[in-house]
Amino acid sequence: MSVAKPLPHDAALQHVTGTARYVDDIPTPVNTLHLAFGLSDIACGVIQSMDLDEVRAAPGVVAVLVADDLPFANDVSPSAHDEPLLATNRVHYIGQPLFLVVAQSHLAARKAARLGQIEITAETPVLTIDDALRVDSRFEDAPLVWTKGKPDQALGTAPHRLQGQIDMGGQEHFYLEGQAALALPQEGGDMLVHSSTQHPTEIQHKVADAIGKTMHAVRVEVRRMGGGFGGKESQGNALAVACAIAAHATGAPCKMRYDRDDDMMITGKRHDFRISYDVGFDDQGRILAIDFTQLARCGWAMDLSLPVADRAMLHGDNAYLLADIRITSHRLKTHTQSATAFRGFGGPQGVLGIERVMDHVAHALDLDPVVVRRINFYAPAASVDGGSAPRPLASPRSLSSKMMDNSTPYHMPVTDFVLHEMTEALLITSDYEQRRKAVKDWNATNPILKKGIAYSPVKFGISFTLSHLNQAGALVHVYQDGSIHLNHGGTEMGQGLFQKIAQVAAHRFGVDVSLVKITATDTGKVPNTSATAASSGSDLNGMAVADACDKIKQRIATCLAEVHNASPQEVQFCDGQVLVEGTSIRFAEAAMFAYQNRVSLSATGFYKTPDLSWDRTKGTGRPFFYFAQGAAVSEVVVDTLTGENRILRADILHDAGTSLNPALDIGQIEGGYVQGAGWLTTEELVWDDKGRLRTHAPATYKIPACSDRPDIFNVALWDTPNPAQTIYRSKAVGEPPFMLGISAHLALSMACGACGPRYPNLQAPATAQEVLQAIGRAHG
């Protein structure tokens, strides 16, 4: 059995020895040219002139291109065609590409790009959420509003009511491998592009448009990325298009990679949000009504902001049954980098909003926040073997029939909710009650160091909300020696997708995973791929590969059955053997026999996620195939004199269904938690009043290091099979664990709250400065 085994990452040895090949490591021809952008240093204004004579005269420069020099499309937007590769008559943020330098070396291109004399008439930029609201700068004519029940009426009759607001900052992706691309001209004007991208088909499409070709003339290959986190879903378009245009113009291979400072100045970040709430609740902390307003700062171009903001709305409930709710979402346009996809894709912002509400309600009632959360959970569901729909159980709450529909704010029934059982298990294994008492005792006797402990759950919907993206293809070959070669539409960015898919193929054929090789993702082998995003990589591509493998298996079985006068259904593939009518032969022999009998040993596979429907305008439908769930307990300590803080311990129980690879899944959970905690603690993006990003390098932007992870870090899998019919009943595990880091922020809030009677109203990120301010608010 190859699935459910904790096998190491397929490229682990190459990673640790430095032999894993990334785009920048690909050997290039001697005549390869190198590219760099000349960037705007004004956030908003009209371009009056560009004097590029010094740039053209710089050593090693071969060509300099401006927007008017581009042969076809000047467009690298993934959505609204509002993002030109090179600025035309206006600039929209500091760091926007204005011109393109083509030179004989990377250093020569970078040096020359700084020599442009650009005259821009500066205008007042719109930089903040408040700025955008003041001038009504937005991407849609009006905010999007979803409503369930009668929130105004329920708010008016609630026994208790409070209001609040939380600001949460953006986040830099900080992938270890920066953005990079290499374009190699082919005969007949065709183009081969190597790109560090999560979305090869989008690169193919954009490059084809840019050089005036159809998509079949462009082939995009991606062996691996050194991290992506959503930052390579659309942000790689500019580099790939620039390289292809330059290669098309010069006939020479062209390569481009951003230095880290340029990468951070040019590319988009996580959307920062402001979420305000008006909530009504009863004496037990049960939420009776809530009115959310979500404000998203989207930057200068639309990019993926609409679906990101939609998903924040879709996760405004997190794990809680909210009968009367309104969510209003504003997508605001500013003169900053275009915010883009980031792990969780807006979901974390929505989840943090409702978790703040639960924390605030618990403080107002002087209740343990765990009690408030549990009383508001969705009704539980029993797991049912065999894949039939889970059966809703009787709700533990005394609720009206109106609230017993157990549906989300977008009216999707929740039938697979397991957080009741998971929470109970985690609170026991983490010794939550005793530790909470110990934390309170500590805080009562220690005036300087204060501790906090907090629990938070996550319920995360799995599927692309743009329904047609929920599809995948695969190509599988079995060679006559029994070795297996496959390609699929997913991309490997360090998450172990290739290993999981290899395990699926090996299990399908009943052979050891060492017989399976997955080569680079290639648009010439698998067309029309969806981005490796939305935690869908294993779900979609695993099913597509299984489909292709089953076709080949059926052909081999039919061939052998004819010889042995048996039914194909009697032929079994297991332990490297093929069994038929009491005869056992090695899989390699079966492959050779099928080949010699002229049986095709190559097949394509395809999968589309079933049972999806979604109307984003009305906010109704079934946007997700299923929910992945998890829970975490974090303990922290705060120095009240400096604001310095540490995560002391984290206990996590995460729902991975029947894990395809427990080792890889636990690694994703650990990394997701640390990255989520980093977003809410140390990672602060700062723009000055001119719109210049000041935190644009490792020296000024603080991601969590190994020393920042908790010393005690317990992670376990809740391994109940997924009731939805996914590949081997597994569940997605890429994005959901990110939100478990919210428990660290909640624990910091408790520590700050121990300094006084008032609610500390801790904002995010909870830097040392913000922690001190929250302590001051708790004091009153």
Side-chain angles (χ1 to χ4, degrees), residues 496-582:
L497 174 64
F498 276 24
Q499 180 68 302
K500 284 187 172 183
I501 301 303
Q503 288 177 252
V504 168
H507 189 75
R508 228 59 185 183
F509 286 117
V511 300
D512 189 80
V513 72
S514 63
L515 287 177
V516 181
K517 178 180 285 294
I518 303 181
T519 52
T521 307
D522 189 333
T523 58
K525 294 182 178 179
V526 179
N528 307 317
T529 62
S530 295
T532 305
S535 304
S536 65
S538 297
D539 283 3
L540 295 178
N541 296 290
M543 291 293 265
V545 165
D547 180 46
C549 293
D550 289 348
K551 290 175 181 176
I552 298 173
K553 274 180 60 180
Q554 181 65 29
R555 295 171 194 162
I556 296 174
T558 299
C559 179
L560 292 173
E562 289 176 355
V563 174
H564 292 84
N565 294 317
S567 166
Q569 286 71 36
E570 298 177 65
V571 180
Q572 299 178 31
F573 295 73
C574 61
D575 298 325
Q577 304 289 312
V578 181
L579 310 176
V580 54
E581 285 294 303

Side-chain angles (χ1 to χ4, degrees), residues 662-721:
L664 291 176
D665 284 348
I666 287 174
Q668 284 289 289
I669 293 163
E670 292 173 342
Y673 171 89
V674 171
Q675 191 176 42
W679 166 50
L680 297 174
T681 55
T682 66
E683 297 188 47
E684 185 178 28
L685 291 166
V686 178
W687 284 265
D688 63 20
D689 58 4
K690 302 295 185 182
R692 182 175 299 277
L693 180 66
R694 290 300 184 181
T695 50
H696 57 80
T700 52
Y701 185 81
K702 175 67 172 68
I703 65 169
C706 291
S707 58
D708 293 311
R709 67 178 183 172
D711 290 336
I712 303 174
F713 202 175
N714 301 317
V715 178
L717 298 180
W718 181 265
D719 58 0
T720 302

Side-chain angles (χ1 to χ4, degrees), residues 44-50 67-68 74 84 86-92 96 98 119-121 123:
C44 176
V46 178
I47 301 172
Q48 301 296 341
S49 65
M50 287 198 291
D68 289 343
N74 181 20
L86 300 175
T88 51
N89 62 327
R90 298 187 62 86
V91 295
H92 302 276
Q96 182 174 0
L98 302 177
E119 182 182 349
I120 299 174
T121 301
E123 299 173 351

